[in-house]
Amino acid sequence: MTDLKQTIDHERKRFCVAAGGGISLPVAGAICWTAGGIAGFFLEAPDWAFAAAAGSGVIFPLGILLQGILRSPFMKAKSPLSGITTAAIIAINLLWPIHFLLIGGFPEAAPLSLAIGMSLHWPIIGWSYASRVSLVHALVRVAAVTAIWIAFPDLRLTAIPFVVAGLYLLAAAGLRWEVVRFRGQLASAA
């Protein structure tokens, strides 16, 4: 059993290194959520909610475009574990009926709904990358946006997106650190 666990742990780290930690995606997320924060200064909640929902669809294609620049070839990285990532992405997309319900009836909830809903895959993808940073990102993100939602209702359309953007950048830096650390561990084991 120990050999299987070691084999899986090795593959998780190898997958993270091969994918460059997938950092192009959180960088893309930071860009999109920054745009959402700026939009929060100009749009009312219903318009912001619609724009943010549509804008969330930009994250993945932008992440693909940033792969080369950020040395994060997550689409080219192959692993027996990559199916977990696909399942996680499908799972977060199952929330769209709830997001649309909120956007149509309670658009003020969209920043909270989108910020939390779009973080649910982080622990799962993080597991496939042996990433503790991914789990911490999700936990801190949910706590931070919930605190802002409760404590600062007038800042929901700006503070929540800017905090999410900042957390995405911190996650990208943390993932890069994990890639470097795992690369060293894998080289030592070889």
Side-chain angles (χ1 to χ4, degrees), residues 96-189:
W96 279 105
I98 294 170
H99 295 310
F100 289 135
L101 179 69
L102 289 172
I103 289 167
F106 185 34
E108 294 80 10
L112 184 66
S113 171
L114 292 169
I116 292 174
M118 294 177 67
S119 71
L120 296 180
H121 64 299
W122 275 80
I124 300 162
I125 292 171
W127 180 89
S128 70
Y129 283 172
S131 171
R132 291 185 180 147
V133 168
S134 296
L135 176 60
V136 170
H137 170 82
L139 295 173
V140 170
R141 180 166 158 173
V142 170
V145 300
T146 301
I148 293 167
W149 171 261
I150 293 167
F152 304 104
D154 293 340
L155 300 177
R156 290 174 179 164
L157 300 182
T158 54
I160 288 175
F162 286 133
V163 166
V164 170
L167 290 172
Y168 266 136
L169 291 176
L170 288 173
L175 285 162
R176 178 64 78 199
W177 171 78
E178 285 180 326
V179 166
V180 170
R181 188 167 58 94
F182 294 159
R183 188 176 289 129
Q185 289 174 0
L186 294 170
S188 311

Side-chain angles (χ1 to χ4, degrees), residues 32-137:
C32 291
W33 279 90
T34 297
I38 294 167
F41 288 115
F42 303 103
L43 300 177
E44 295 296 321
D47 295 328
W48 186 94
F50 180 76
S56 71
V58 174
I59 294 173
F60 189 75
L62 182 56
I64 290 172
L65 290 174
L66 294 172
Q67 287 182 99
I69 297 167
L70 297 173
R71 298 182 321 263
S72 174
F74 70 93
M75 290 296 290
K76 293 179 183 175
K78 302 299 179 211
S79 172
L81 302 174
S82 60
I84 295 167
T85 302
T86 303
I89 299 300
I90 290 169
I92 66 165
N93 282 298
L94 296 176
L95 286 172
W96 279 105
I98 294 170
H99 295 310
F100 289 135
L101 179 69
L102 289 172
I103 289 167
F106 185 34
E108 294 80 10
L112 184 66
S113 171
L114 292 169
I116 292 174
M118 294 177 67
S119 71
L120 296 180
H121 64 299
W122 275 80
I124 300 162
I125 292 171
W127 180 89
S128 70
Y129 283 172
S131 171
R132 291 185 180 147
V133 168
S134 296
L135 176 60
V136 170
H137 170 82

